[in-house]
């Protein structure tokens, strides 16, 4: 296990070097500029996300697709992931994580647009899409589409499965001394009960879980910030200053280099909001929408809620708690988060446990859909049931294995997924701008894209 962990640690360091950071942030910034700052349309995006689009083509509502995408992204990355970034990269990692989310809104918009533009309809009438279809149908790069699908299937067992199960099992054991084996078995049963029902079952459960769990988590964060009120502004200043001068953090914080703060902040930001990863477009393709830009806006709102709001609150909670309570051990992400929430009398630890349980469980559900669509692209529908069975079994394995191996494996798979997806966004940026001009800049958001019928008739 130590050798395996060392291998993935070295591979993660290689993949998350300056080239990857430049590619990811560069794509975020480039798309922000050429799309004329779609971040400014966030309130329009939120409004569209809660509206039905009657008569539009698709399998689930726009809110259903957004809820599934949010379920997959709002997970341990928002709680344990942010804490791990702080433990490894210092407080400055929070700013890099947040900036990844702000600029990542543009990338998530572009991903959602291409998902609808290049989706196809199966013989059974289901809508399928995602970066593999954009790479194949938009660019003719079948070989890269296949690689993306392979990396997605592998990543589903990291970011979407074992990481989440491990976090639940660890917290349940530390808080209530529940055996990881018992926790793993329970999560397996719950996962199987939902994912065997397909995308509509997943979307229905996520649609109920996401608003509920996010509301209570945000309330918990606000309570802690109220308790730490005198340390919130010092925490903000420390986060900003140490993002560019980690040594300024002092006090035992990880005081490496700007590269360390940026690497862990951006990696955890991608882990959290998945902008540029190419996962969310897979479920966005199933949305009932009348044109690509409407779904693009809805998809972009997911990054806003996930990182700009929830990750920012988590970062402030943790850094302010460390300043307020210097005795907190901030070398371990899970322990650090638990210590911060324990400052809420009586309900703090149960609130964190419940939040992590629901966040992580919903992520497991959402990523099962991503993984099975990748498998379907590679091998056809007949392999999907086998994938689901293996996926459910992996939940149990994730509950009992070493956390360090899981996180490093997840970081590696994230990077390998992101590279082909980012290339598709860059090479198809002309199409993205064309569709944006056609529907958004000309104020035609209610227009119907007639080409969707052609794509459906010629689906595989």
């Amino acid at each position: 296990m130590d050798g395996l962990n060392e291998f993935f640690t070295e591979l993660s360091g290689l993949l998350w070097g300056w080239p990857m950071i430049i590619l990811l942030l560069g794509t975020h910034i480039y798309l922000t500029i050429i799309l004329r700052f779609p971040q400014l349309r966030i309130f329009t995006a939120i409004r569209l996300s809660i509206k039905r689009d009657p008569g539009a083509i698709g399998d689930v509502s726009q809110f259903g697709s957004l809820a599934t995408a949010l379920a997959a992204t709002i997970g341990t990355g928002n709680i344990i992931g942010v804490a791990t970034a702080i433990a490894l990269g210092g407080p400055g990692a929070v700013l890099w994580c947040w900036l990844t989310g702000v600029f990542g809104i543009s990338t998530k918009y572009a991903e959602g647009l291409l998902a609808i533009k290049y989706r196809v309809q199966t013989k059974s009438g289901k809508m399928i899409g995602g970066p593999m279809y954009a790479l194949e149908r938009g660019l003719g790069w079948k070989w890269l589409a296949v690689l993306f699908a392979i990396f997605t299937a592998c990543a589903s067992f990291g970011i979407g499965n074992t990481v989440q199960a491990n976090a639940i099992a660890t917290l349940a054991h530390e808080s209530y001394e529940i055996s990881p084996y018992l926790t793993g078995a329970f999560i397996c049963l719950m996962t199987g009960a939902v994912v065997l029902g397909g995308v509509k079952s997943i979307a229905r459960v996520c649609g109920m879980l996401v608003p509920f769990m996010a509301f209570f988590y945000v309330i918990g964060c606000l309570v802690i910030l109220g308790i730490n009120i005198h340390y919130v502004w010092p925490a903000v200043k420390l986060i900003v200053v140490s993002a560019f001068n980690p040594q300024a953090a002092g006090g035992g914080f990880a005081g490496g280099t700007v590269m360390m703060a940026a690497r862990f902040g951006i990696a955890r930001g991608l882990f959290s909001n998945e902008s540029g990863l190419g996962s969310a477009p897979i479920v966005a393709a199933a949305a009932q929408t009348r044109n690509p830009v409407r779904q693009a806006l809805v998809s972009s709102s997911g990054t806003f809620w996930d990182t700009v709001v929830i990750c920012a609150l988590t970062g402030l909670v943790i850094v302010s708690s460390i300043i307020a309570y210097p005795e907190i051990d901030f070398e371990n992400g899970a322990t650090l988060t638990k210590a911060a929430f324990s400052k809420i009398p009586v309900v703090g630890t149960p609130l964190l446990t419940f939040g992590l349980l629901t966040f992580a469980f919903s992520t497991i559900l959402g990523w099962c859909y991503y993984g099975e669509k990748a498998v379907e692209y590679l091998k056809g529908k007949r392999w999907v049931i086998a994938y689901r069975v293996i996926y459910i079994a992996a939940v149990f394995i994730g509950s009992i294995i070493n956390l360090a191996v899981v996180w490093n494996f997840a970081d590696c798979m994230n990077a390998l997924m992101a590279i082909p997806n980012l290339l598709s966004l860059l090479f198809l940026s002309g199409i993205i701008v064309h569709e944006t001009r056609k529907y958004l800049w000309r104020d035609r958001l209610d227009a119907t894209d007639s080409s969707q019928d052609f794509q459906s008739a010629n689906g595989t």
Side-chain angles (χ1 to χ4, degrees):
M1 187 66 72
D2 289 339
L4 188 63
N5 184 43
E6 184 178 348
F7 169 77
F8 282 119
T9 299
E10 293 180 2
L11 181 59
S12 176
L14 177 65
L15 291 171
W16 284 104
W18 276 114
M20 182 61 189
I21 290 177
I22 292 171
L23 176 62
L24 180 61
L25 278 183
T27 302
H28 288 348
I29 295 170
Y30 171 70
L31 290 173
T32 294
I33 293 171
I34 67 170
L35 294 174
R36 302 178 185 175
F37 292 85
Q39 292 89 340
L40 300 176
R41 310 272 187 164
I42 192 62
F43 292 110
T44 300
I46 294 171
R47 176 176 59 82
L48 288 174
S49 70
I50 58 176
K51 289 180 62 178
R52 287 193 173 274
D53 204 351
I57 300 172
D59 301 327
V60 297
S61 67
Q62 289 180 318
F63 179 76
S65 70
L66 175 63
T68 303
L70 276 174
T73 55
I74 301 180
T76 56
N78 300 82
I79 305 176
I80 307 299
V82 174
T84 303
I86 294 170
L88 297 174
V94 176
L95 180 62
W96 289 107
C97 180
W98 187 78
L99 287 175
T100 302
V102 172
F103 287 104
I105 289 174
S106 299
T107 301
K108 189 64 75 71
Y109 169 94
E111 290 176 328
L113 190 153
L114 293 181
I116 301 298
K117 180 69 177 175
Y118 294 109
R119 68 181 179 177
V120 297
Q121 192 174 40
T122 66
K123 293 178 181 179
S124 62
K126 301 294 184 182
M127 284 294 181
I128 53 176
M132 51 277 205
Y133 293 92
L135 286 164
E136 180 183 350
R137 302 182 71 230
L139 294 169
W141 295 352
K142 174 75 173 180
W143 63 275
L144 196 55
V146 169
L147 283 179
F148 175 84
I150 292 172
F151 295 145
T152 300
C154 292
S156 69
F157 290 99
I159 180 176
N161 186 316
T162 51
V163 164
Q164 312 301 329
N166 193 288
I168 295 173
T170 299
L171 193 63
H173 180 67
E174 292 182 354
S175 301
Y176 305 105
E177 297 185 356
I178 299 174
S179 168
Y181 291 89
L182 185 60
T183 302
F186 176 74
I187 305 171
C188 276
L189 292 174
M190 294 293 292
T191 302
V194 178
V195 303
L196 294 178
V199 63
K200 291 186 177 180
S201 174
I202 293 172
R204 183 168 57 253
V205 173
C206 292
M208 292 186 293
L209 276 179
V210 168
F212 183 71
M213 68 187 188
F215 174 78
F216 280 100
Y217 182 73
V218 168
I219 292 298
C221 287
L222 292 177
V223 170
I224 296 175
L225 292 178
I227 296 172
N228 297 344
I229 187 64
H230 298 297
Y231 302 96
V232 173
W233 181 241
V236 172
K237 292 193 292 185
L238 182 62
I239 288 169
V240 174
V241 171
S242 60
F244 305 99
N245 181 18
Q247 300 296 334
F253 278 109
T257 63
V258 174
M259 178 62 193
M260 290 287 287
R263 175 195 163 189
F264 288 108
I266 293 172
R268 293 296 180 258
L270 177 62
F271 185 96
S272 172
N273 61 56
E274 299 178 15
S275 293
L277 192 61
S279 52
I282 297 174
V283 70
Q288 297 166 345
T289 186
R290 68 185 72 182
N291 64 62
V293 170
R294 287 176 72 94
Q295 183 55 37
L297 287 168
V298 171
S299 294
S300 71
S301 68
T303 299
F304 171 78
W305 293 120
D306 178 89
T307 306
V308 179
V309 176
I310 294 180
C311 277
L313 284 174
T314 302
L316 276 176
V317 162
I318 292 172
V319 176
S320 65
S321 295
I322 292 173
I323 297 173
Y325 311 101
E327 70 276 8
I328 290 179
D329 174 18
F330 48 84
E331 293 183 358
N332 179 281
T335 303
L336 174 55
T337 309
K338 180 184 175 183
F341 272 80
S342 67
K343 301 306 175 182
I344 303 179
V346 184
V347 299
T349 299
L351 178 64
L352 175 62
T353 304
F354 176 76
L356 185 59
L357 174 64
T358 53
F359 277 26
F361 178 63
S362 65
T363 299
I364 291 171
L365 299 182
W367 265 92
C368 182
Y369 179 76
Y370 297 159
E372 72 176 52
K373 288 305 171 185
V375 170
E376 184 176 345
Y377 179 82
L378 293 168
K379 287 290 188 179
K381 192 74 175 177
R382 64 188 181 278
W383 284 85
V384 169
I385 296 298
Y387 167 82
R388 289 177 182 173
V389 172
I390 297 171
Y391 188 87
I392 293 168
V395 171
F396 180 80
I397 297 173
S399 301
I400 60 175
I401 62 176
N402 182 277
L403 181 62
V405 175
V406 173
W407 276 106
N408 286 317
F409 173 77
D411 279 344
C412 292
M413 292 302 105
N414 287 357
L416 290 173
M417 272 185 72
I419 292 170
N421 177 60
L422 293 171
L423 290 177
S424 75
L425 294 173
L426 293 173
F427 282 95
L428 291 172
S429 59
I431 297 293
I432 297 168
V433 171
H434 172 77
E435 295 293 318
T436 301
R437 180 184 296 112
K438 180 179 178 180
Y439 295 106
L440 184 60
W441 298 343
R442 293 177 179 171
D443 197 23
R444 298 179 66 245
L445 280 176
D446 291 332
T448 299
D449 179 13
S450 59
S451 67
Q452 287 195 64
D453 294 331
F454 172 80
Q455 292 171 355
S456 300
N458 289 275
T460 56

